[in-house]
Amino acid sequence: MPKRKEDHTKNLLIIFVKNLIAGNVKSRLALSIGYNNALQIYTDLVSKIHQEAVDIPFDKQVAYSSSVEKTDIWESEIFYKTVQQGKDIGERMSNAFSNAFAAGYKNVVLVGSDIINLKSNIILDAFNQLQQSDLILGPAIDGGYYLIGMNKPNKQLFENKDWSTKKVFIQTLKESIDINLSLRLVPELADLDKIEDFQYLQIEDCEKYMNLIEKDVSKVDTSSSILFY
């Protein structure tokens, strides 16, 4: 990562994305709807976070899961592109924060790319709250978190966690208390990991994704219930 320009922002937004390869994204969702459908839905979710992030007035970084994509929706003149480093999601996030602070950033917010209804105002609120708090978390409905913001590095927050389980948010919350970090929360949201998560979608997105799946109905797990609202 290049050093932060002195005449630019002290804030950095990091977006973790997976490379758009069928079978490489939304593996749990793909068990119900098929790999290609899961890829199309994830691609749409990535497009949505791009739309929300592109005008955020801070430096922005896209961190890919395996390799940098030179030609995709993430404009190289707006988003600095890099690759996640580490053997698990905890180590990858920890390294992303450490590299950002080493580059001179003061406030860093990291978000996922499969979050339902994540808007730019939530991200901006997280940056604002970092003026008064050490740690900002965006709790996910499944027990994890979709957003984490810090104003100084702290590897402990990413160590000894049961990643990809419903324990992660509580474990991180307890860790922050144990090490005396001030904490604030942004609104709880859902990520889209399984077909039951469709209930958290806006009705137009739910209908769009269901129409996609219905073109290949043989791959739908009919034992799963989808709630509309």
Side-chain angles (χ1 to χ4, degrees), residues 6 8 27 34 52 72 107 131 180 190 197 201 214:
E6 291 305 317
H8 205 349
S27 55
E52 295 298 325
D72 60 8
N107 302 302
Q131 306 305 312
N180 296 314
D197 295 329
L201 292 166
E214 286 169 1

Side-chain angles (χ1 to χ4, degrees), residues 89-101:
I89 187 62
E91 188 173 312
R92 290 177 176 222
M93 289 193 291
S94 180
N95 287 333
F97 276 101
S98 295
N99 291 338
F101 289 122

Side-chain angles (χ1 to χ4, degrees), residues 2-3 9 20 22 25 29 36 52 92 94 96 106-107 112 139 145 156-157 187 190 214:
K3 289 290 184 179
T9 174
L20 298 177
V25 301
L29 181 62
N36 289 331
E52 295 298 325
R92 290 177 176 222
S94 180
K106 303 302 181 184
N107 302 302
Y145 57 80
Q156 284 181 256
L157 292 171
E214 286 169 1

